[in-house]
Amino acid sequence: MDAWRSQVGGFVLVFFLPVFFTYTGLRTNVLGLSSGADWEWLAVILAASVLTKMVPVYLVGRACGFNRNESSLLATLMNTRALMELIVLNIGFDLGLIPQNVFTMLVIMAVVTTLMARADLEASAIAHRSCDPSAHEA
């Protein structure tokens, strides 16, 4: 069973995952966000998605005794969305529950928040290296 899982799992990752991301990208119509209101809504969605994930996780991390850098790292990792978000969005779009422009905004949000992780993690690593590792802020 394990041999089958490793062979099939590898095939799925190499073949189907890129196909899924391509399929989602082809369904995303950035040019459909043509009005200023669409771009304002995208900004609101991005801000809300980041704030409602990062701030509570950061605060809980601090409440649990983690220092600022550790709490920031936890918040950054929770902010990534990517695959699961895109699966749910595609299902909602296929069922007609999400209009095209909202689908596009949510796909952009998923991609942006996932890409934010690298920059945020690098910033956390730099901040972590610059402070004394034996100091643990409460």
Side-chain angles (χ1 to χ4, degrees), residues 40-113:
E40 288 171 5
W41 274 111
L42 175 60
V44 168
I45 288 170
L46 276 169
S49 68
V50 170
L51 292 175
T52 59
K53 269 207 165 179
M54 291 187 82
V55 171
V57 172
Y58 177 83
L59 294 175
V60 168
R62 296 292 288 160
C64 289
F66 291 109
N67 65 33
R68 279 183 272 154
N69 291 331
E70 293 166 337
S71 296
S72 178
L73 177 65
L74 285 173
T76 296
L77 293 173
M78 281 298 294
N79 192 41
T80 60
R81 289 169 174 83
L83 185 59
M84 186 57 67
E85 178 90 10
L86 294 177
I87 291 169
V88 172
L89 289 174
N90 275 291
I91 291 170
F93 187 62
D94 286 340
L95 293 174
L97 301 173
I98 303 173
Q100 176 68 55
N101 63 340
V102 175
F103 175 79
T104 298
M105 290 177 201
L106 293 174
V107 168
I108 291 171
M109 179 267 301
V111 171
V112 167
T113 56

Side-chain angles (χ1 to χ4, degrees), residues 11-28 81-94 103 107 110-111:
F11 174 74
V12 167
L13 284 176
V14 170
F15 182 74
F16 287 116
L17 201 56
V19 170
F20 174 74
F21 283 117
T22 301
Y23 174 69
T24 301
L26 290 172
R27 299 174 82 185
T28 303
R81 289 169 174 83
L83 185 59
M84 186 57 67
E85 178 90 10
L86 294 177
I87 291 169
V88 172
L89 289 174
N90 275 291
I91 291 170
F93 187 62
D94 286 340
F103 175 79
V107 168
V111 171

